[in-house]
Amino acid sequence: ATEATMPLWEAIAETDSVACVMHGQTELSRLHPLLGRFPSLRVVIDHLNNPVPQDGVAQPIFRALLDLARFPNVFVKLSGFHHWCTDRYPYPSALPYVEAAVSAFGAERCMWGSDFPHVLAGCGYVRNRNLLPREARFLTANQLDQIMGGTAQRIWFQ
């Protein structure tokens, strides 16, 4: 965020809109002053901030995402596996990132993302929809309810 973009952030906060951020990498720290200035600003980080699976959950790209957990209006989309995972469906390399994000943010601040229409060129919509319920065995039924719809319902439809 720069002074030139401040009117945009002010409008997002004033209209109670949701800002979706992609590909922030380690630059997500630039959101910290905005989140302090606009405490009601709701931000969704897409694709778990596109980590590099072989670099582990301690990598700077993913740490930048986890650092945002202290801001209560930051949410995470558990999505983009076909973009950033180097393995194929069911993307086992994604699961440590999903688990770490849910641990840091809580399931009530995490949500599944369909990745439509791009997922059609990857594993397909149905397999993507079933991925977390089938593979993320560390998630409870209540956590899955939040992730697979409850969180998105609260953010965009209430």
Side-chain angles (χ1 to χ4, degrees):
T2 63
E3 282 305 312
T5 63
M6 205 52 62
L8 172 65
W9 292 104
E10 289 171 352
I12 292 169
E14 288 172 9
T15 60
D16 198 31
S17 296
V18 179
C20 294
V21 178
M22 288 185 59
H23 307 293
Q25 298 192 356
T26 57
E27 295 178 9
L28 285 180
S29 62
R30 293 170 62 189
L31 290 173
H32 293 201
L34 280 173
L35 294 163
R37 182 171 174 179
F38 305 109
S40 66
L41 180 67
R42 294 176 298 160
V43 175
V44 175
I45 309 298
D46 276 331
H47 300 340
L48 289 158
N49 204 33
N50 292 314
V52 179
Q54 59 270 25
D55 290 351
V57 295
Q59 68 185 275
I61 290 170
F62 194 65
R63 295 295 324 163
L65 169 73
L66 297 181
D67 286 345
L68 292 173
R70 63 186 152 126
F71 297 99
N73 287 332
V74 175
F75 303 83
V76 181
K77 264 197 211 163
L78 309 176
S79 60
F81 306 127
H82 62 284
H83 289 298
W84 58 266
C85 290
T86 53
D87 49 4
R88 296 179 61 116
Y89 183 88
Y91 312 113
S93 66
L95 295 179
Y97 297 93
V98 170
E99 188 170 15
V102 172
S103 178
F105 287 86
E108 67 280 355
R109 291 173 50 205
C110 293
M111 68 184 87
W112 171 77
S114 71
D115 296 318
F116 187 83
H118 307 286
V119 74
L120 297 178
C123 66
Y125 180 84
V126 172
R127 291 199 313 166
N128 189 43
R129 167 61 181 84
N130 293 325
L131 175 66
L132 293 177
R134 288 181 180 166
E135 302 296 326
R137 294 181 182 95
F138 49 85
L139 296 173
T140 68
N142 184 46
Q143 287 175 316
L144 277 169
D145 285 346
Q146 293 302 308
I147 291 166
M148 298 307 294
T151 301
Q153 177 73 30
R154 278 192 328 281
I155 291 175
W156 280 294
F157 301 106
Q158 286 186 357

